[in-house]
Amino acid sequence: MKPTSDEIRKRFLDFFSENGHLVIPSASLIPIGDPTLLMVNSGMAPLKPYFTGEKTPPQTRLCNIQKCVRTNDIDGVGDRHHLTFFEMMGNWSIGDYFKEDAIHLAWTMIHDVFEFDTSQLFATVYSGDPKFPAVPPDKESERIWLKFLPPERIVHLGADCNLWGPAGETGPCGPCTEIFIDRGEQYGCGGSNCDPHCWCGRFLEIWNGGVFMQYYMHEDHSLTELPLKSVDAGAGLERFCVILQEVDSVYEIDTISPITEVLMPEGKNCDSRSMRIMTDHIRSAVFMIADGVRPANTRMEYVLRRIIRRAILHANLSKTDSSRLIAAAVKVVDIFSRYYPELENNRGEIISTLELEASAFGKVLRQGIREFSKVAAKSTNVVSAEAAFKLHDTLGFPVDLTKELALAQGLSVDEAGFKALLEAQRERSRQKTLKR
Ligand code: SER
């Protein structure tokens, strides 16, 4: 029997609570007292003061399922595994167990509790990196993994992959060990060097089996030792569902596919990238609004505005009536309120905020699309910086949406040129202000 996401949540929390972890509630997506962070982007983000020793945790072993928003790889949304909103199943040791127990717990969970096909699993360990000479290669994790995996399935990676953190510009970080599952050649690029380091999608990271939090990263990227040695482990619930429910992508798991179904115009052949983007972005927007974020032009308010507008653009590109976006939002509330009652409590606000933003943006979008089609007709391969800037400056049409429209027609945008024009405009207005 394939487990439902409900069963996966329960098994995860039961396992860690049986192993002495206190189950704590998910924090809000709005970071509290952390100006370095736009949104809560990981399970550990709300727990930073425990890792630094500034606050004492209620217990030294904790676990939960934390709602997270990550937009740094927003352009990847639409593939099989990237989402801007996801739920992170996390377990933490705050100065309690370290590498040996963290890896044993991870393995027991994967092998005994979830019964993953372990012949498909790979572990990555930190190889050392000239960028961070103070952090030695993680020989200890390698030694522990060798109890469970043959050496050829232990992969050594540098700081870009296996030195995790901080969440935000500064904060706790450390070398990590991740578990990947090989989804099979049919998902791969076919390259002879294809391994968990390859981004083709064949190897899916299912668990960051432990960030070994030992260091504090400062603004200049220098590291100092933390007072405690801690563990921050996390697994994306949606990715677990993909493997355990034996589906192709996160959009087919039991809690997400009903949202896409609401969006799909019946009998139409839909562009699945647009469907996926709308599904993901509406889910993110609903959770953000429920936590009190409202669309505006700075910081996390802008993140919300950007994802709502991108969802509306994709509704337009795929000829999906925008009322379906609202119906999809209602579906998100219906599915997730049992875990996050703040959704039900803010149902009216969620819908009215989305409706308001959709109607405010509708006019700009129609004008933008009209003007863009004239620009596209005159462009070969690249939309010029001047044209993208004019759309931004005269119509308020965001450049990331110009990029989307360009992509749909096989064009790119001169982004570097656009940034230079924007900077020049900002400089001119700075000079004007100084003269006043
Ligand atoms: N913080 C780590 C991550 O997000 C492990 O939970 O991958």
Side-chain angles (χ1 to χ4, degrees):
M1 264 298 268
K2 295 173 196 164
T4 61
S5 61
D6 207 41
E7 285 158 357
I8 296 172
R9 284 171 201 274
K10 188 168 169 348
R11 276 196 221 169
F12 179 87
L13 293 175
D14 286 353
F15 173 75
F16 281 102
S17 100
E18 281 155 19
N19 282 282
H21 295 66
L22 175 72
V23 182
I24 55 171
S26 169
S28 162
L29 284 169
I30 303 178
I32 295 169
D34 187 353
T36 74
L37 204 57
L38 217 47
M39 308 281 297
V40 166
N41 62 356
S42 52
M44 67 76 68
L47 311 180
K48 276 163 96 174
Y50 296 153
F51 291 108
T52 56
E54 283 161 72
K55 280 193 183 161
T56 309
Q59 205 165 291
T60 53
R61 295 179 177 211
L62 304 171
C63 67
N64 82 357
I65 300 181
Q66 171 67 45
K67 44 189 179 176
C68 302
V69 169
R70 248 180 230 185
T71 52
N72 50 343
D73 36 19
I74 192 168
D75 289 334
V77 174
D79 71 1
R80 287 199 301 274
H81 306 129
H82 282 95
L83 292 165
T84 57
F85 175 84
F86 59 93
E87 293 177 85
M88 184 71 105
M89 304 189 288
N91 62 285
W92 297 279
S93 145
I94 316 286
D96 188 312
Y97 56 82
F98 206 47
K99 296 183 183 179
E100 188 83 43
D101 285 356
I103 294 175
H104 270 87
L105 282 167
W107 185 257
T108 311
M109 175 84 178
I110 297 258
H111 184 266
D112 300 356
V113 179
F114 285 109
E115 299 177 345
F116 276 86
D117 177 356
T118 49
S119 69
Q120 308 296 319
L121 297 183
F122 286 72
T124 66
V125 295
Y126 181 61
S127 61
D129 195 307
K131 274 187 271 179
F132 295 98
V135 187
D138 189 358
K139 295 277 176 215
E140 195 183 345
S141 292
E142 182 186 19
R143 175 188 64 73
I144 303 163
W145 275 121
L146 282 168
K147 295 182 189 173
F148 306 115
L149 292 172
E152 65 276 13
R153 281 199 270 125
I154 300 173
V155 180
H156 298 82
L157 298 174
D160 290 347
C161 301
N162 276 42
L163 192 74
W164 195 91
E169 285 144 31
T170 57
C173 64
C176 69
T177 177
E178 298 187 323
I179 303 172
F180 283 75
I181 192 158
D182 181 358
R183 301 208 67 203
E185 275 172 15
Q186 69 276 25
Y187 287 102
C189 58
S192 56
N193 295 330
C194 186
D195 70 5
H197 195 201
C198 184
W199 291 99
C200 67
R202 170 171 173 177
F203 295 90
L204 178 64
E205 182 211 322
I206 51 167
W207 199 332
N208 196 342
V211 181
F212 301 117
M213 292 290 184
Q214 270 172 280
Y215 303 99
Y216 189 96
M217 190 179 285
H218 302 269
E219 263 172 58
D220 61 0
H221 288 187
S222 63
L223 299 174
T224 45
E225 294 263 349
L226 286 169
L228 300 169
K229 282 187 173 178
S230 300
V231 177
D232 154 37
L237 172 63
E238 296 82 359
R239 291 182 175 195
F240 259 53
C241 290
V242 168
I243 304 300
L244 296 168
Q245 296 176 1
E246 296 173 27
V247 293
D248 197 54
S249 79
V250 288
Y251 298 94
E252 288 153 56
I253 69 171
D254 58 350
T255 50
I256 300 189
S257 64
I259 308 167
T260 314
E261 275 161 27
V262 169
L263 288 165
M264 290 276 223
E266 278 136 39
K268 283 209 176 161
N269 186 12
C270 301
D271 165 19
S272 70
R273 181 169 175 266
S274 283
M275 285 299 148
R276 289 172 170 192
I277 289 172
M278 286 188 280
T279 303
D280 168 76
H281 287 14
I282 286 298
R283 208 165 77 109
S284 278
V286 166
F287 275 90
M288 284 192 222
I289 299 168
D291 277 349
V293 186
R294 295 292 174 269
N297 290 337
T298 52
R299 293 189 59 81
M300 73 180 97
E301 290 78 7
Y302 182 65
V303 175
L304 174 61
R305 170 157 280 168
R306 187 173 166 213
I307 61 162
I308 298 175
R309 290 182 167 189
R310 196 157 176 254
I312 296 168
L313 175 78
H314 278 276
N316 197 291
L317 287 175
S318 61
K319 308 211 177 347
T320 304
D321 194 282
S322 63
S323 65
R324 285 185 189 267
L325 291 177
I326 305 298
V330 170
K331 196 65 167 180
V332 176
V333 175
D334 292 345
I335 294 173
F336 290 96
S337 285
R338 56 188 298 211
Y339 311 110
Y340 303 99
E342 61 274 25
L343 265 51
E344 184 58 50
N345 296 341
N346 291 288
R347 187 183 278 268
E349 272 291 300
I350 291 168
I351 305 307
S352 60
T353 305
L354 287 170
E355 283 176 342
L356 201 67
E357 189 66 10
S359 85
F361 184 57
K363 193 166 157 237
V364 175
L365 180 64
R366 280 190 295 278
Q367 285 177 331
I369 289 177
R370 227 181 3 254
E371 289 307 310
F372 179 82
S373 59
K374 293 182 201 159
V375 170
K378 287 189 226 146
S379 309
T380 33
N381 301 327
V382 183
V383 171
S384 72
E386 289 74 19
F389 187 75
K390 195 169 166 215
L391 283 167
H392 157 88
D393 197 38
T394 56
L395 297 180
F397 195 69
V399 70
D400 47 336
L401 300 192
T402 303
K403 264 167 58 188
E404 291 285 335
L405 290 176
L407 188 72
Q409 302 207 15
L411 299 166
S412 62
V413 175
D414 176 3
E415 285 183 71
F418 174 84
K419 277 190 195 135
L421 291 174
L422 194 63
E423 198 34 54
Q425 186 194 46
R426 286 193 182 136
E427 189 51 39
R428 281 196 300 278
S429 67
R430 262 197 296 270
Q431 295 301 337
K432 258 192 213 156
T433 319
L434 287 176
K435 278 184 199 151
R436 258 186 221 143

